[in-house]
Amino acid sequence: MGVGGRDVARAQLLHLLDMSEREHISIRVIPFGIGAFPGSGQSINYLYGAVPQLDTAQLDQFHGPLLLDAEAHLQKYRSLLDVVETIALSAEKSRDLIHTTAQSL
C-alpha cells in the first residue's frame, strides 16, 4: 500500500461513502477492467446551474485550473461526460464496491 497506508485508504473510502449519502452528491466508479476511455487521466469538473450560458468546464492542469466556457468546448465535455456515465457503475453498485474495498483493507 502506498502513501498513508491501509488505515488512511479505509478512512478515505468511508468518507466517500458518507458523502454519497448527501442529496446533491453522486459517486460513480469506473472499474479498472474498462481500461482506457475518453478523458481518462484528466480531472474534469463541469459546473452548471439554472442559467446554461454560465456553464463552465474546469480542467486541472499542472499550472492551475483551466476554465472553458465557449459553447463548442462545453458541448465537447458534456458529450465526454455522457460517455463516462455510460461506462461507470451505477451509484448503488459503486457504493457496494467502495464498501467492499474498504472492508477488505
Side-chain angles (χ1 to χ4, degrees):
M1 175 82 27
V3 177
R6 292 179 183 274
D7 291 340
V8 171
R10 184 180 308 107
Q12 290 174 335
L13 291 170
L14 294 175
H15 178 71
L16 288 174
L17 288 174
D18 287 344
M19 293 295 101
S20 72
E21 294 291 334
R22 294 184 178 194
E23 182 180 320
H24 63 285
I25 295 177
S26 175
I27 296 176
R28 306 279 302 274
V29 173
I30 300 172
F32 284 117
I34 295 293
F37 57 90
S40 62
Q42 181 175 18
S43 174
I44 303 166
N45 293 309
Y46 192 94
L47 311 160
Y48 66 94
V51 181
Q53 294 83 358
L54 298 178
D55 286 5
T56 303
Q58 176 188 335
L59 310 178
D60 288 336
Q61 310 257 316
F62 176 74
H63 62 278
L66 175 63
L67 302 173
L68 304 171
D69 60 3
E71 183 55 37
H73 290 136
L74 295 175
Q75 188 173 27
K76 174 184 173 182
Y77 285 103
R78 280 194 299 263
S79 295
L80 174 62
L81 292 172
D82 287 344
V83 169
V84 171
E85 188 173 16
T86 64
I87 62 176
L89 298 176
S90 68
E92 182 179 335
K93 288 183 179 181
S94 294
R95 284 183 48 77
D96 291 345
L97 179 60
I98 293 169
H99 179 77
T100 300
T101 303
Q103 296 307 313
S104 70
L105 292 175

